[in-house]
mmCIF file of all heavy atoms in Angstrom:
data_model
loop_
_atom_site.group_PDB
_atom_site.id
_atom_site.type_symbol
_atom_site.label_atom_id
_atom_site.label_comp_id
_atom_site.label_asym_id
_atom_site.label_seq_id
_atom_site.Cartn_x
_atom_site.Cartn_y
_atom_site.Cartn_z
ATOM 1 N N LEU A 1 195.978 84.390 137.434
ATOM 2 C CA LEU A 1 196.844 83.905 136.347
ATOM 3 C C LEU A 1 197.177 85.003 135.336
ATOM 4 O O LEU A 1 197.935 84.760 134.400
ATOM 5 C CB LEU A 1 196.156 82.749 135.609
ATOM 6 C CG LEU A 1 195.911 81.463 136.419
ATOM 7 C CD1 LEU A 1 195.061 80.489 135.610
ATOM 8 C CD2 LEU A 1 197.242 80.817 136.810
ATOM 9 N N ASP A 2 196.598 86.186 135.548
ATOM 10 C CA ASP A 2 196.741 87.278 134.574
ATOM 11 C C ASP A 2 196.328 86.792 133.194
ATOM 12 O O ASP A 2 197.046 86.956 132.196
ATOM 13 C CB ASP A 2 198.190 87.792 134.555
ATOM 14 C CG ASP A 2 198.315 89.084 133.741
ATOM 15 O OD1 ASP A 2 197.279 89.802 133.620
ATOM 16 O OD2 ASP A 2 199.414 89.349 133.225
ATOM 17 N N ALA A 3 195.162 86.140 133.182
ATOM 18 C CA ALA A 3 194.691 85.488 131.962
ATOM 19 C C ALA A 3 193.689 86.370 131.238
ATOM 20 O O ALA A 3 192.966 87.165 131.836
ATOM 21 C CB ALA A 3 194.047 84.154 132.308
ATOM 22 N N HIS A 4 193.672 86.192 129.936
ATOM 23 C CA HIS A 4 192.711 86.910 129.099
ATOM 24 C C HIS A 4 191.876 85.864 128.354
ATOM 25 O O HIS A 4 192.414 85.059 127.586
ATOM 26 C CB HIS A 4 193.441 87.813 128.103
ATOM 27 C CG HIS A 4 192.524 88.406 127.078
ATOM 28 N ND1 HIS A 4 191.539 89.334 127.396
ATOM 29 C CD2 HIS A 4 192.438 88.209 125.720
ATOM 30 C CE1 HIS A 4 190.893 89.673 126.297
ATOM 31 N NE2 HIS A 4 191.409 89.002 125.267
ATOM 32 N N PHE A 5 190.567 85.892 128.581
ATOM 33 C CA PHE A 5 189.674 84.919 127.968
ATOM 34 C C PHE A 5 189.353 85.334 126.542
ATOM 35 O O PHE A 5 189.026 86.494 126.277
ATOM 36 C CB PHE A 5 188.385 84.791 128.789
ATOM 37 C CG PHE A 5 187.354 83.892 128.159
ATOM 38 C CD1 PHE A 5 187.619 82.549 127.931
ATOM 39 C CD2 PHE A 5 186.112 84.387 127.788
ATOM 40 C CE1 PHE A 5 186.682 81.718 127.348
ATOM 41 C CE2 PHE A 5 185.159 83.566 127.197
ATOM 42 C CZ PHE A 5 185.446 82.222 126.980
ATOM 43 N N VAL A 6 189.409 84.371 125.617
ATOM 44 C CA VAL A 6 189.079 84.596 124.212
ATOM 45 C C VAL A 6 187.727 83.937 123.944
ATOM 46 O O VAL A 6 187.630 82.704 123.959
ATOM 47 C CB VAL A 6 190.155 84.002 123.274
ATOM 48 C CG1 VAL A 6 189.768 84.231 121.818
ATOM 49 C CG2 VAL A 6 191.520 84.599 123.585
ATOM 50 N N PRO A 7 186.678 84.709 123.735
ATOM 51 C CA PRO A 7 185.337 84.112 123.595
ATOM 52 C C PRO A 7 185.167 83.404 122.259
ATOM 53 O O PRO A 7 185.883 83.655 121.284
ATOM 54 C CB PRO A 7 184.403 85.322 123.700
ATOM 55 C CG PRO A 7 185.224 86.472 123.207
ATOM 56 C CD PRO A 7 186.634 86.188 123.652
ATOM 57 N N PHE A 8 184.216 82.522 122.230
ATOM 58 C CA PHE A 8 183.879 81.794 121.012
ATOM 59 C C PHE A 8 183.207 82.742 120.032
ATOM 60 O O PHE A 8 182.392 83.579 120.410
ATOM 61 C CB PHE A 8 182.938 80.633 121.349
ATOM 62 C CG PHE A 8 182.440 79.885 120.142
ATOM 63 C CD1 PHE A 8 183.172 78.838 119.612
ATOM 64 C CD2 PHE A 8 181.244 80.249 119.527
ATOM 65 C CE1 PHE A 8 182.718 78.148 118.494
ATOM 66 C CE2 PHE A 8 180.785 79.568 118.412
ATOM 67 C CZ PHE A 8 181.524 78.510 117.897
ATOM 68 N N THR A 9 183.555 82.592 118.752
ATOM 69 C CA THR A 9 182.872 83.348 117.701
ATOM 70 C C THR A 9 182.514 82.390 116.575
ATOM 71 O O THR A 9 183.168 81.347 116.391
ATOM 72 C CB THR A 9 183.751 84.473 117.135
ATOM 73 O OG1 THR A 9 184.879 83.896 116.461
ATOM 74 C CG2 THR A 9 184.224 85.410 118.229
ATOM 75 N N ALA A 10 181.475 82.750 115.846
ATOM 76 C CA ALA A 10 181.058 81.904 114.727
ATOM 77 C C ALA A 10 182.104 81.887 113.625
ATOM 78 O O ALA A 10 182.180 80.921 112.850
ATOM 79 C CB ALA A 10 179.726 82.409 114.172
ATOM 80 N N GLN A 11 182.945 82.948 113.561
ATOM 81 C CA GLN A 11 183.967 83.018 112.523
ATOM 82 C C GLN A 11 185.128 82.052 112.807
ATOM 83 O O GLN A 11 185.583 81.310 111.934
ATOM 84 C CB GLN A 11 184.503 84.446 112.378
ATOM 85 C CG GLN A 11 183.516 85.424 111.772
ATOM 86 C CD GLN A 11 182.414 85.820 112.763
ATOM 87 O OE1 GLN A 11 182.628 85.793 113.974
ATOM 88 N NE2 GLN A 11 181.251 86.178 112.235
ATOM 89 N N THR A 12 185.618 82.070 114.038
ATOM 90 C CA THR A 12 186.779 81.229 114.375
ATOM 91 C C THR A 12 186.374 79.823 114.798
ATOM 92 O O THR A 12 187.147 78.882 114.644
ATOM 93 C CB THR A 12 187.581 81.852 115.527
ATOM 94 O OG1 THR A 12 186.762 81.887 116.715
ATOM 95 C CG2 THR A 12 188.023 83.265 115.173
ATOM 96 N N ARG A 13 185.164 79.683 115.342
ATOM 97 C CA ARG A 13 184.649 78.421 115.877
ATOM 98 C C ARG A 13 185.597 77.864 116.942
ATOM 99 O O ARG A 13 185.752 76.664 117.095
ATOM 100 C CB ARG A 13 184.436 77.395 114.759
ATOM 101 C CG ARG A 13 183.420 77.839 113.721
ATOM 102 C CD ARG A 13 183.269 76.811 112.633
ATOM 103 N NE ARG A 13 182.713 75.550 113.147
ATOM 104 C CZ ARG A 13 182.806 74.390 112.506
ATOM 105 N NH1 ARG A 13 183.445 74.318 111.341
ATOM 106 N NH2 ARG A 13 182.277 73.302 113.026
ATOM 107 N N MET A 14 186.222 78.778 117.674
ATOM 108 C CA MET A 14 187.132 78.395 118.750
ATOM 109 C C MET A 14 186.951 79.367 119.921
ATOM 110 O O MET A 14 186.435 80.475 119.764
ATOM 111 C CB MET A 14 188.600 78.451 118.287
ATOM 112 C CG MET A 14 188.985 77.442 117.224
ATOM 113 S SD MET A 14 190.766 77.477 116.870
ATOM 114 C CE MET A 14 190.948 79.129 116.191
ATOM 115 N N SER A 15 187.396 78.936 121.095
ATOM 116 C CA SER A 15 187.489 79.807 122.259
ATOM 117 C C SER A 15 188.711 79.371 123.043
ATOM 118 O O SER A 15 189.303 78.325 122.747
ATOM 119 C CB SER A 15 186.229 79.699 123.131
ATOM 120 O OG SER A 15 186.081 78.392 123.662
ATOM 121 N N GLY A 16 189.110 80.159 124.020
ATOM 122 C CA GLY A 16 190.283 79.759 124.784
ATOM 123 C C GLY A 16 190.733 80.830 125.742
ATOM 124 O O GLY A 16 189.937 81.675 126.168
ATOM 125 N N VAL A 17 192.042 80.811 126.057
ATOM 126 C CA VAL A 17 192.585 81.730 127.042
ATOM 127 C C VAL A 17 194.049 82.024 126.698
ATOM 128 O O VAL A 17 194.775 81.167 126.196
ATOM 129 C CB VAL A 17 192.468 81.123 128.463
ATOM 130 C CG1 VAL A 17 193.299 79.850 128.587
ATOM 131 C CG2 VAL A 17 192.842 82.134 129.535
ATOM 132 N N ASP A 18 194.448 83.275 126.950
ATOM 133 C CA ASP A 18 195.850 83.666 126.805
ATOM 134 C C ASP A 18 196.410 83.910 128.198
ATOM 135 O O ASP A 18 195.865 84.715 128.973
ATOM 136 C CB ASP A 18 195.980 84.948 125.981
ATOM 137 C CG ASP A 18 195.581 84.723 124.525
ATOM 138 O OD1 ASP A 18 195.615 83.551 124.078
ATOM 139 O OD2 ASP A 18 195.205 85.707 123.859
ATOM 140 N N ILE A 19 197.491 83.196 128.562
ATOM 141 C CA ILE A 19 198.153 83.374 129.859
ATOM 142 C C ILE A 19 199.602 83.747 129.565
ATOM 143 O O ILE A 19 200.443 82.880 129.259
ATOM 144 C CB ILE A 19 198.078 82.082 130.700
ATOM 145 C CG1 ILE A 19 196.629 81.612 130.866
ATOM 146 C CG2 ILE A 19 198.719 82.290 132.064
ATOM 147 C CD1 ILE A 19 196.491 80.279 131.571
ATOM 148 N N GLY A 20 199.871 85.029 129.598
ATOM 149 C CA GLY A 20 201.197 85.494 129.196
ATOM 150 C C GLY A 20 201.418 85.206 127.723
ATOM 151 O O GLY A 20 200.613 85.588 126.873
ATOM 152 N N ASP A 21 202.522 84.493 127.418
ATOM 153 C CA ASP A 21 202.803 84.125 126.033
ATOM 154 C C ASP A 21 202.122 82.819 125.627
ATOM 155 O O ASP A 21 202.213 82.397 124.472
ATOM 156 C CB ASP A 21 204.328 83.962 125.835
ATOM 157 C CG ASP A 21 205.060 85.290 126.020
ATOM 158 O OD1 ASP A 21 204.409 86.330 125.781
ATOM 159 O OD2 ASP A 21 206.230 85.257 126.408
ATOM 160 N N ARG A 22 201.467 82.206 126.556
ATOM 161 C CA ARG A 22 200.824 80.902 126.303
ATOM 162 C C ARG A 22 199.412 81.114 125.750
ATOM 163 O O ARG A 22 198.613 81.827 126.346
ATOM 164 C CB ARG A 22 200.778 80.111 127.608
ATOM 165 C CG ARG A 22 200.318 78.682 127.454
ATOM 166 C CD ARG A 22 200.304 77.997 128.826
ATOM 167 N NE ARG A 22 199.864 76.619 128.750
ATOM 168 C CZ ARG A 22 199.608 75.851 129.815
ATOM 169 N NH1 ARG A 22 199.782 76.359 131.040
ATOM 170 N NH2 ARG A 22 199.207 74.602 129.647
ATOM 171 N N GLN A 23 199.150 80.510 124.611
ATOM 172 C CA GLN A 23 197.838 80.619 123.974
ATOM 173 C C GLN A 23 197.208 79.226 123.863
ATOM 174 O O GLN A 23 197.748 78.353 123.184
ATOM 175 C CB GLN A 23 197.958 81.236 122.582
ATOM 176 C CG GLN A 23 198.459 82.679 122.582
ATOM 177 C CD GLN A 23 198.538 83.240 121.178
ATOM 178 O OE1 GLN A 23 198.691 82.500 120.204
ATOM 179 N NE2 GLN A 23 198.442 84.561 121.065
ATOM 180 N N ILE A 24 196.076 79.053 124.580
ATOM 181 C CA ILE A 24 195.379 77.765 124.578
ATOM 182 C C ILE A 24 194.035 77.949 123.885
ATOM 183 O O ILE A 24 193.285 78.880 124.206
ATOM 184 C CB ILE A 24 195.160 77.233 126.010
ATOM 185 C CG1 ILE A 24 196.488 77.169 126.774
ATOM 186 C CG2 ILE A 24 194.491 75.856 125.979
ATOM 187 C CD1 ILE A 24 196.335 76.809 128.238
ATOM 188 N N ARG A 25 193.746 77.075 122.922
ATOM 189 C CA ARG A 25 192.469 77.165 122.206
ATOM 190 C C ARG A 25 191.821 75.778 122.150
ATOM 191 O O ARG A 25 192.498 74.747 122.099
ATOM 192 C CB ARG A 25 192.676 77.659 120.767
ATOM 193 C CG ARG A 25 193.280 79.038 120.654
ATOM 194 C CD ARG A 25 192.300 80.119 121.079
ATOM 195 N NE ARG A 25 192.878 81.447 120.861
ATOM 196 C CZ ARG A 25 193.609 82.113 121.759
ATOM 197 N NH1 ARG A 25 193.881 81.531 122.935
ATOM 198 N NH2 ARG A 25 194.077 83.308 121.477
ATOM 199 N N LYS A 26 190.495 75.789 122.158
ATOM 200 C CA LYS A 26 189.730 74.565 121.923
ATOM 201 C C LYS A 26 188.594 74.920 120.966
ATOM 202 O O LYS A 26 188.079 76.042 120.981
ATOM 203 C CB LYS A 26 189.154 73.978 123.220
ATOM 204 C CG LYS A 26 188.142 74.871 123.944
ATOM 205 C CD LYS A 26 187.605 74.167 125.172
ATOM 206 C CE LYS A 26 186.691 75.093 125.975
ATOM 207 N NZ LYS A 26 185.474 75.469 125.310
ATOM 208 N N GLY A 27 188.241 73.968 120.108
ATOM 209 C CA GLY A 27 187.179 74.254 119.157
ATOM 210 C C GLY A 27 187.000 73.143 118.147
ATOM 211 O O GLY A 27 187.515 72.020 118.316
ATOM 212 N N ALA A 28 186.279 73.456 117.082
ATOM 213 C CA ALA A 28 186.030 72.471 116.031
ATOM 214 C C ALA A 28 187.354 71.997 115.441
ATOM 215 O O ALA A 28 188.283 72.793 115.239
ATOM 216 C CB ALA A 28 185.152 73.079 114.948
ATOM 217 N N VAL A 29 187.438 70.707 115.174
ATOM 218 C CA VAL A 29 188.699 70.112 114.726
ATOM 219 C C VAL A 29 189.217 70.795 113.471
ATOM 220 O O VAL A 29 190.394 71.170 113.389
ATOM 221 C CB VAL A 29 188.506 68.597 114.482
ATOM 222 C CG1 VAL A 29 189.750 67.997 113.828
ATOM 223 C CG2 VAL A 29 188.209 67.887 115.806
ATOM 224 N N ASP A 30 188.352 70.963 112.482
ATOM 225 C CA ASP A 30 188.797 71.574 111.221
ATOM 226 C C ASP A 30 189.310 72.992 111.445
ATOM 227 O O ASP A 30 190.320 73.400 110.845
ATOM 228 C CB ASP A 30 187.637 71.597 110.218
ATOM 229 C CG ASP A 30 187.287 70.198 109.723
ATOM 230 O OD1 ASP A 30 188.131 69.297 109.859
ATOM 231 O OD2 ASP A 30 186.159 70.019 109.204
ATOM 232 N N SER A 31 188.626 73.758 112.304
ATOM 233 C CA SER A 31 189.038 75.151 112.548
ATOM 234 C C SER A 31 190.372 75.221 113.268
ATOM 235 O O SER A 31 191.227 76.059 112.948
ATOM 236 C CB SER A 31 187.953 75.865 113.366
ATOM 237 O OG SER A 31 186.733 75.896 112.657
ATOM 238 N N VAL A 32 190.570 74.350 114.252
ATOM 239 C CA VAL A 32 191.827 74.366 115.007
ATOM 240 C C VAL A 32 192.992 73.979 114.103
ATOM 241 O O VAL A 32 194.055 74.638 114.108
ATOM 242 C CB VAL A 32 191.731 73.415 116.221
ATOM 243 C CG1 VAL A 32 193.113 73.236 116.864
ATOM 244 C CG2 VAL A 32 190.735 73.945 117.241
ATOM 245 N N ILE A 33 192.800 72.932 113.296
ATOM 246 C CA ILE A 33 193.885 72.492 112.401
ATOM 247 C C ILE A 33 194.164 73.557 111.346
ATOM 248 O O ILE A 33 195.325 73.837 111.014
ATOM 249 C CB ILE A 33 193.510 71.150 111.750
ATOM 250 C CG1 ILE A 33 193.504 70.038 112.813
ATOM 251 C CG2 ILE A 33 194.486 70.806 110.622
ATOM 252 C CD1 ILE A 33 193.076 68.687 112.285
ATOM 253 N N ALA A 34 193.107 74.186 110.843
ATOM 254 C CA ALA A 34 193.300 75.232 109.832
ATOM 255 C C ALA A 34 194.081 76.400 110.390
ATOM 256 O O ALA A 34 194.882 77.040 109.682
ATOM 257 C CB ALA A 34 191.939 75.696 109.314
ATOM 258 N N SER A 35 193.891 76.703 111.680
ATOM 259 C CA SER A 35 194.626 77.826 112.287
ATOM 260 C C SER A 35 196.102 77.522 112.441
ATOM 261 O O SER A 35 196.927 78.434 112.550
ATOM 262 C CB SER A 35 194.026 78.153 113.667
ATOM 263 O OG SER A 35 194.316 77.118 114.600
ATOM 264 N N LEU A 36 196.463 76.222 112.449
ATOM 265 C CA LEU A 36 197.863 75.821 112.602
ATOM 266 C C LEU A 36 198.529 75.516 111.271
ATOM 267 O O LEU A 36 199.756 75.553 111.156
ATOM 268 C CB LEU A 36 197.958 74.570 113.499
ATOM 269 C CG LEU A 36 197.450 74.728 114.922
ATOM 270 C CD1 LEU A 36 197.485 73.380 115.636
ATOM 271 C CD2 LEU A 36 198.268 75.759 115.678
ATOM 272 N N GLY A 37 197.688 75.153 110.279
ATOM 273 C CA GLY A 37 198.240 74.733 109.000
ATOM 274 C C GLY A 37 198.172 73.209 108.885
ATOM 275 O O GLY A 37 198.439 72.494 109.864
ATOM 276 N N GLU A 38 197.841 72.733 107.718
ATOM 277 C CA GLU A 38 197.649 71.305 107.513
ATOM 278 C C GLU A 38 198.933 70.496 107.728
ATOM 279 O O GLU A 38 198.887 69.290 107.938
ATOM 280 C CB GLU A 38 197.109 71.044 106.099
ATOM 281 C CG GLU A 38 195.678 71.485 105.894
ATOM 282 C CD GLU A 38 194.680 70.602 106.660
ATOM 283 O OE1 GLU A 38 195.052 69.484 107.052
ATOM 284 O OE2 GLU A 38 193.536 71.060 106.861
ATOM 285 N N ARG A 39 200.094 71.163 107.676
ATOM 286 C CA ARG A 39 201.356 70.428 107.786
ATOM 287 C C ARG A 39 201.721 70.093 109.223
ATOM 288 O O ARG A 39 202.762 69.498 109.484
ATOM 289 C CB ARG A 39 202.481 71.221 107.130
ATOM 290 C CG ARG A 39 202.371 71.276 105.604
ATOM 291 C CD ARG A 39 203.434 72.131 104.987
ATOM 292 N NE ARG A 39 203.261 73.548 105.356
ATOM 293 C CZ ARG A 39 204.063 74.532 104.960
ATOM 294 N NH1 ARG A 39 205.100 74.255 104.170
ATOM 295 N NH2 ARG A 39 203.827 75.766 105.328
ATOM 296 N N ASN A 40 200.862 70.477 110.162
ATOM 297 C CA ASN A 40 201.124 70.142 111.557
ATOM 298 C C ASN A 40 201.233 68.623 111.696
ATOM 299 O O ASN A 40 200.395 67.879 111.198
ATOM 300 C CB ASN A 40 199.993 70.680 112.440
ATOM 301 C CG ASN A 40 200.327 70.544 113.917
ATOM 302 O OD1 ASN A 40 200.300 69.445 114.457
ATOM 303 N ND2 ASN A 40 200.663 71.664 114.546
ATOM 304 N N ALA A 41 202.251 68.162 112.396
ATOM 305 C CA ALA A 41 202.556 66.734 112.470
ATOM 306 C C ALA A 41 201.441 65.911 113.089
ATOM 307 O O ALA A 41 201.218 64.752 112.712
ATOM 308 C CB ALA A 41 203.857 66.523 113.249
ATOM 309 N N ALA A 42 200.719 66.495 114.030
ATOM 310 C CA ALA A 42 199.692 65.729 114.744
ATOM 311 C C ALA A 42 198.312 65.870 114.114
ATOM 312 O O ALA A 42 197.350 65.283 114.614
ATOM 313 C CB ALA A 42 199.630 66.178 116.205
ATOM 314 N N ALA A 43 198.202 66.625 113.012
ATOM 315 C CA ALA A 43 196.888 66.887 112.416
ATOM 316 C C ALA A 43 196.192 65.592 111.987
ATOM 317 O O ALA A 43 195.002 65.386 112.235
ATOM 318 C CB ALA A 43 197.018 67.844 111.233
ATOM 319 N N GLY A 44 196.958 64.709 111.332
ATOM 320 C CA GLY A 44 196.355 63.464 110.864
ATOM 321 C C GLY A 44 195.845 62.611 112.011
ATOM 322 O O GLY A 44 194.767 61.997 111.934
ATOM 323 N N GLN A 45 196.632 62.568 113.112
ATOM 324 C CA GLN A 45 196.217 61.768 114.263
ATOM 325 C C GLN A 45 194.961 62.351 114.906
ATOM 326 O O GLN A 45 194.061 61.612 115.320
ATOM 327 C CB GLN A 45 197.369 61.707 115.275
ATOM 328 C CG GLN A 45 197.140 60.674 116.363
ATOM 329 C CD GLN A 45 198.314 60.570 117.320
ATOM 330 O OE1 GLN A 45 199.387 61.143 117.065
ATOM 331 N NE2 GLN A 45 198.131 59.850 118.408
ATOM 332 N N VAL A 46 194.899 63.681 114.970
ATOM 333 C CA VAL A 46 193.719 64.334 115.560
ATOM 334 C C VAL A 46 192.481 64.056 114.706
ATOM 335 O O VAL A 46 191.392 63.772 115.234
ATOM 336 C CB VAL A 46 193.949 65.852 115.707
ATOM 337 C CG1 VAL A 46 192.634 66.582 115.993
ATOM 338 C CG2 VAL A 46 194.951 66.117 116.820
ATOM 339 N N ARG A 47 192.665 64.098 113.377
ATOM 340 C CA ARG A 47 191.525 63.811 112.501
ATOM 341 C C ARG A 47 191.052 62.365 112.683
ATOM 342 O O ARG A 47 189.852 62.077 112.661
ATOM 343 C CB ARG A 47 191.915 64.047 111.040
ATOM 344 C CG ARG A 47 192.054 65.515 110.667
ATOM 345 C CD ARG A 47 192.229 65.663 109.160
ATOM 346 N NE ARG A 47 192.456 67.032 108.780
ATOM 347 C CZ ARG A 47 191.488 67.948 108.627
ATOM 348 N NH1 ARG A 47 190.225 67.591 108.859
ATOM 349 N NH2 ARG A 47 191.777 69.178 108.269
ATOM 350 N N GLU A 48 191.989 61.456 112.871
ATOM 351 C CA GLU A 48 191.624 60.048 113.057
ATOM 352 C C GLU A 48 190.854 59.858 114.364
ATOM 353 O O GLU A 48 189.865 59.128 114.424
ATOM 354 C CB GLU A 48 192.895 59.202 113.047
ATOM 355 C CG GLU A 48 192.615 57.698 113.080
ATOM 356 C CD GLU A 48 193.890 56.874 112.994
ATOM 357 O OE1 GLU A 48 194.917 57.432 112.561
ATOM 358 O OE2 GLU A 48 193.844 55.689 113.347
#
């Protein structure tokens, strides 16, 4: 996939993979939402 793995760190509290221009991350809810900005439309639903 020509993928680059992004390891988990205590600072980001996330990990994931980059596949070309595609960036996929998984991690703590607060950290993921903070990386996108609170104005993300789905943030409230994810928190719920």
